[in-house]
Amino acid sequence: MHPMRPRCHGSPLLCLSAVLLACALLAGPAVADGVTPSEARRLRDEVKDMFYHAFDGYMQHAFPLDELRPLSCQGEDSLGGYALTLIDSLDTLALLGDKERFSAGVEWVGKNIRFDINKTVSVFETNIRILGGLLSAHLIASDYATGMRIDSYNDQLLHLAVDLAQRLLPAFDTPTGIPFGSVNLLYGVDDDESKITSTAGGGTLSLEFGVLSRLTNNTVFERVTKNSVRGIWARRSKLNLVGAHINVFTGEWTQKDAGIGTSIDSFYEYLLKAYLLFGDEEYLYVFQEAYKAVMHYLHHDPWYIEVNMNSGATVWPLFNSLQAFWPGLQVLAGDVDPAIRTHAAFFSVWKKYGFTPEGFNLATSTVQNGQRSYPLRPELIESTYWLFKATRDYRCVFLCKVP
Ligand SMILES: *[C@@H]1O[C@H](CO)[C@@H](O)[C@H](O)[C@H]1NC(C)=O
Ligand SMILES: *[C@@H]1O[C@H](CO)[C@@H](O)[C@H](O)[C@H]1NC(C)=O
């Protein structure tokens, strides 16, 4: 269903040199080499103000619905109808040191949220936002070391997390172990549910489910998500690449474009992070093999393209904004030099438009047709943060300021 797939007809190097030239022309004057402490504090406060603008707006106009529609100023239930934005924001409140709102949020969620509802929800979104939000808030609220411990807290969010995860489990009952994309929280998988899911959908579950297993001593959660990763990896191509969409019954790839962005991205992210969090070397081994293949077949320094997973032939010479997490992942993997070059290239796209469009065509150096939007993606700034942590190069901080 992809409209007019663009192809880079000439040599990829020619296409890329056009992009590099464009970057050279875009590069502005050199920036100074540091920020003063007061400048850093001002930037920090600006970030806080932005957060509260969004969070207070949500609480005032949309809560307890999932999301705020910023133009009509109305709420809507876009996911499952379980106060998504509040649950998703709890760890940010703790990070900002806002004990009052964090405690109030945890208490409200513990008293009011229920998952025995007739709603069909995305397994992926429910995992990363709701299960992840509940578990991080639980860990923060239970631990003196966070400074956010709530004395009256009694594991309510952990109980909710267990209940929710159990309602997601029916999705994993497939021949490949790769879960359906959606599941009904009350009735299990709908009869007419699609058997096609994305690689990210099946590979972005192991952190939350693994933490839940360790907190409860119930191994089932960790087991099903590891099984899903194995199900995907067992169907990799001879080049050690994975495609974008797969049939969870037959294991056939229905979309064979290998890339690090759309539909695949966090499969790679969770492999490495699952190893870092749990010390499980199976995840490290798979990550290393998968990473080598990406750097061999997809990396056209400093960009990443999409290729056919079997032949390695270029299909999409595109930057897509979801790829922007990759330099941050490389920092975690200890591969900082290519991360710096790629981050600079991705950031040149940001500078050109004031944000990263969903798709940027590397062959023409223009926004890809139909991919002009910017749905507030955090990937580029997250990579910037990790790079700054690794290099302490303050130019990263300057890069973040939009003039
Ligand atoms: C569950 O929700 C669906 C979709 O809203 C509805 O068609 C169905 O009747 C509901 N089932 C029950 C048992 O309430
Ligand atoms: C899990 O097992 C450990 C070690 O046996 C034990 O200390 C802990 O209390 C158990 N946790 C739960 C939630 O059962």
Side-chain angles (χ1 to χ4, degrees):
M1 291 205 299
H2 292 288
M4 296 270 299
R5 173 169 305 188
R7 280 168 199 277
C8 205
H9 284 295
S11 115
L13 277 178
L14 268 181
C15 302
L16 290 171
S17 55
V19 174
L20 289 176
L21 181 63
C23 294
L25 293 174
L26 278 171
V31 289
D33 247 344
V35 283
T36 62
S38 71
E39 175 83 348
R41 277 194 296 276
R42 197 187 58 70
L43 288 169
R44 182 198 62 191
D45 291 344
E46 208 177 305
V47 171
K48 266 187 149 167
D49 288 347
M50 281 193 260
F51 172 78
Y52 280 116
H53 171 76
F55 182 76
D56 291 343
Y58 164 75
M59 290 304 286
Q60 204 174 334
H61 300 289
F63 172 81
L65 302 185
D66 283 338
E67 283 189 277
L68 173 67
R69 301 168 71 100
L71 296 182
S72 65
C73 225
Q74 314 250 305
E76 70 170 333
D77 274 337
S78 48
L79 199 74
Y82 29 46
L84 163 74
T85 300
L86 175 63
I87 295 177
D88 210 4
S89 303
L90 291 173
D91 57 353
T92 307
L93 289 167
L95 193 67
L96 295 181
D98 192 336
K99 195 161 182 179
E100 195 181 315
R101 282 188 184 75
F102 176 71
S103 308
V106 167
E107 192 176 328
W108 187 89
V109 169
K111 280 204 182 111
N112 295 282
I113 291 294
R114 303 193 54 124
F115 296 115
D116 52 345
I117 49 177
N118 176 17
K119 282 273 171 105
T120 297
V121 299
S122 154
V123 174
F124 168 86
E125 297 287 351
T126 302
N127 174 59
I128 64 169
R129 300 181 195 287
I130 306 299
L131 192 61
L134 291 171
L135 288 171
S136 58
H138 163 74
L139 290 169
I140 293 166
S142 318
D143 186 354
Y144 279 108
T146 63
M148 288 286 137
R149 200 186 123 92
I150 302 169
D151 289 333
S152 61
Y153 179 71
N154 199 11
D155 293 345
Q156 291 91 340
L157 270 49
L158 180 61
H159 297 309
L160 280 171
V162 172
D163 179 49
L164 177 60
Q166 276 167 345
R167 294 173 187 281
L168 299 180
L169 285 181
F172 292 84
D173 188 10
T174 66
T176 59
I178 306 166
F180 284 95
S182 298
V183 63
N184 186 291
L185 294 177
L186 208 47
Y187 302 116
V189 178
D190 294 335
D191 291 337
D192 58 354
E193 184 54 43
S194 167
K195 295 189 171 68
I196 310 296
T197 195
S198 69
T199 301
T204 313
L205 306 155
S206 47
L207 297 178
E208 293 80 1
F209 277 68
V211 165
L212 190 57
S213 275
R214 288 165 196 240
L215 290 175
T216 58
N217 292 342
N218 181 348
T219 57
V220 66
F221 306 113
E222 188 162 353
R223 197 166 60 239
V224 294
T225 54
K226 193 165 182 178
N227 207 25
S228 172
V229 171
R230 286 174 176 163
I232 293 169
W233 187 240
R235 290 166 178 84
R236 67 192 180 278
S237 74
K238 288 202 170 68
L239 308 182
N240 278 348
L241 294 173
V242 292
H245 291 152
I246 193 164
N247 181 313
V248 301
F249 267 58
T250 64
E252 268 177 299
W253 294 98
T254 56
Q255 216 281 28
K256 301 183 176 71
D257 297 349
I260 56 165
T262 314
S263 300
I264 306 180
D265 46 11
S266 42
F267 167 72
Y268 291 107
E269 177 189 359
Y270 270 47
L271 287 175
L272 181 60
K273 289 184 178 173
Y275 167 67
L276 293 174
L277 194 57
F278 306 126
D280 181 334
E281 297 199 349
E282 181 176 343
Y283 284 116
L284 178 63
Y285 176 75
V286 175
F287 175 77
Q288 285 173 330
E289 295 297 304
Y291 183 78
K292 257 188 279 176
V294 166
M295 297 310 277
H296 188 77
Y297 295 104
L298 309 183
H299 186 214
H300 285 233
D301 202 359
W303 304 99
Y304 289 81
I305 57 167
E306 292 186 15
V307 307
N308 179 285
M309 62 182 284
N310 296 310
S311 68
T314 302
V315 284
W316 290 92
L318 277 192
F319 160 77
N320 82 61
S321 70
L322 289 166
Q323 295 175 344
F325 82 103
W326 189 259
L329 187 69
Q330 289 183 303
V331 169
L332 292 182
D335 205 3
V336 177
D337 287 342
I340 290 172
R341 290 194 298 277
T342 294
H343 178 267
F346 290 180
F347 189 68
S348 74
V349 180
W350 178 284
K351 270 194 292 193
K352 182 167 175 169
Y353 299 104
F355 57 84
T356 44
E358 273 300 84
F360 179 77
N361 192 307
L362 302 175
T364 58
S365 290
T366 55
V367 175
Q368 180 68 8
N369 270 342
Q371 299 192 19
R372 300 162 65 92
S373 65
Y374 172 62
L376 304 184
R377 297 213 183 278
E379 280 80 3
L380 186 63
I381 192 67
E382 187 184 356
S383 280
T384 307
Y385 170 79
W386 284 115
L387 267 173
F388 175 69
K389 296 288 277 186
T391 62
R392 292 275 146 192
D393 182 341
Y394 274 92
R395 278 173 299 183
C396 296
V397 179
F398 267 95
L399 288 177
C400 303
K401 290 201 298 178
V402 180

